[in-house]
Amino acid sequence: MNNHKGTLIVISGPSGVGKGTVVNMLLQRLKDAVLSVSCTTRAPREGEKNGKSYFFISKETFLKMIDEGGFLEYSNHFENYYGTPRFFVEQKLEEDKDVILEIDVDGAANVKKQFPDALLLMITPPSREELVRRLKLRGTEDEVLIEQRLRRADYEMSRSNFYDYTVINDDLEQTVENILKIVENRRKGIK
């Protein structure tokens, strides 16, 4: 058995905190890291590509995969399903690659049960006011959806004590550097 498997890195945080940007920068800087592409039943947003942003699948297909144990975790948010395909993650870890999951707090708890050595990172905004500003700046949601996202953000941030580390995304470059140092320390066995 290979004891040098890759690290499973779970990144969570509220909508609008900049998770996607942070993950993209990590993928550029972490040697042999891959992003686990989630499945979803929601429609693609402008610029999203099937198989890269998400695997966009039907609700029927998603439910069949649940029945077959095809997900490490899955959840339902804003009337859409999201899930992490099990086979992809396990295969990449066996190949000694670091796998980054960008998932919510409930999914992270499910992954931690199955992978106790997973590294859980919560990314938070510098303040709730800044989160509101970022959500409005995106221009992709109306006021009602922004309020739903803020309620969800409050819930997610209340679960940050479950995570190995909480990283405040105030300065993007510093946030990425902090995470790279955490990952490097984990590889060296430093908590």
Side-chain angles (χ1 to χ4, degrees), residues 171-189:
D171 174 271
L172 186 59
E173 189 61 39
Q174 189 59 55
T175 299
V176 172
E177 286 301 318
N178 290 343
I179 293 172
L180 290 171
K181 185 175 293 288
I182 290 167
V183 171
E184 182 181 324
N185 287 341
R186 172 58 71 95
R187 287 182 184 147
K188 293 176 181 176

Side-chain angles (χ1 to χ4, degrees), residues 135-146:
L135 284 171
K136 288 183 177 180
L137 199 61
R138 288 200 315 194
T140 57
E141 291 103 2
D142 62 24
E143 288 295 323
V144 172
L145 196 49
I146 288 174

